[in-house]
Amino acid sequence: MPKTAANQVPATVPFRSDAAAVTIGRLARAAEVGIETVRYYQRRRLLAVPHSGGGVRRYPIAMIDRIRFIKRSQDLGFSLEEIRELMRWEQGGSRGAIRKIAEARLTSIREKLATLQKMEKVLSELLCECKHTATAEPCPIIAALSTDRPAEVS
C-alpha cells in the first residue's frame, strides 16, 4: 500500500508545557516495554517523536495507552503495518475498513491453526509409531526427518 500523509503518524508533535509529560524511560516503564521498543515504534512511524525542550524529550501520558494498543494488537497477531492502519481508523474511522483488517488477520490465524493441526497429527503418529517400533529398527521419527519428502498425514 502506498504511503501517504493520511496513513502516517507525524514525525514530531509539538510540546505543550501544560500537558502531563514524562521522559522516555518513565514512558517505557509505564507501558511495560523497553526504551528501544519506544524508539523502534517511532522509527516505524507508529509513535510520534516529541520536540525536545531543553535537550530532553517529554512524552505525553496518552502515549502510554498508544503503546499498550500497539502491544495488544501485536499479541493478536497484527503486523505493524496493520496496526498503523487500525490506528488510522481508530478516531471515528470506517468500521468496514477495521473489520477488513481484522478479518484478514483472522483468516491468517485460521490457516496457521490448520497447518499446526496437520503438524500435530503427523508428529503424534510418529511418536506412537516410535513407541511401538522395536529398538533394533530405525527410529521412525529420525527416518521421517531424514527423507527428502515431507512426512505424510494418513
Side-chain angles (χ1 to χ4, degrees):
M1 176 163 109
K3 294 188 179 195
T4 65
N7 66 3
Q8 293 183 0
V9 174
T12 60
V13 292
F15 175 73
R16 290 181 27 210
S17 59
D18 61 332
V22 294
T23 63
I24 192 170
R26 287 192 177 183
L27 173 73
R29 275 192 302 278
E32 300 177 355
V33 298
I35 291 171
E36 284 307 312
T37 299
V38 174
R39 290 185 178 133
Y40 177 71
Y41 290 162
Q42 289 172 329
R43 285 191 305 274
R44 295 298 305 266
R45 312 285 264 168
L46 292 167
L47 297 175
V49 179
H51 293 292
S52 59
V56 178
R57 296 188 192 279
R58 307 286 296 178
Y59 294 80
I61 295 292
M63 201 171 282
I64 296 167
D65 290 333
R66 173 66 65 210
I67 294 168
R68 289 178 179 158
F69 178 94
I70 295 167
K71 294 304 290 177
R72 284 190 299 268
S73 299
Q74 286 181 306
D75 289 346
L76 288 175
F78 289 103
S79 69
L80 294 181
E81 183 61 36
E82 290 168 331
I83 295 168
R84 186 180 298 108
E85 283 297 304
L86 290 171
M87 289 167 51
R88 185 178 131 208
W89 294 112
E90 179 184 22
Q91 299 298 322
S94 165
R95 285 194 182 187
I98 294 167
R99 277 194 309 274
K100 184 176 178 183
I101 294 166
E103 286 168 353
R105 178 56 37 215
L106 184 57
T107 297
S108 174
I109 289 168
R110 286 178 173 155
E111 289 169 355
K112 288 178 184 178
L113 281 172
T115 299
L116 286 170
Q117 288 170 338
K118 289 176 187 174
M119 291 166 57
E120 187 269 341
K121 184 174 189 225
V122 169
L123 190 53
S124 178
E125 289 173 359
L126 287 171
L127 280 167
C128 184
E129 191 177 336
C130 181
K131 185 176 180 179
H132 296 98
T133 301
T135 55
E137 294 187 36
C139 173
I141 297 170
I142 300 299
L145 298 174
S146 298
T147 63
D148 287 341
R149 61 184 172 79
E152 305 237 353
V153 179
S154 46

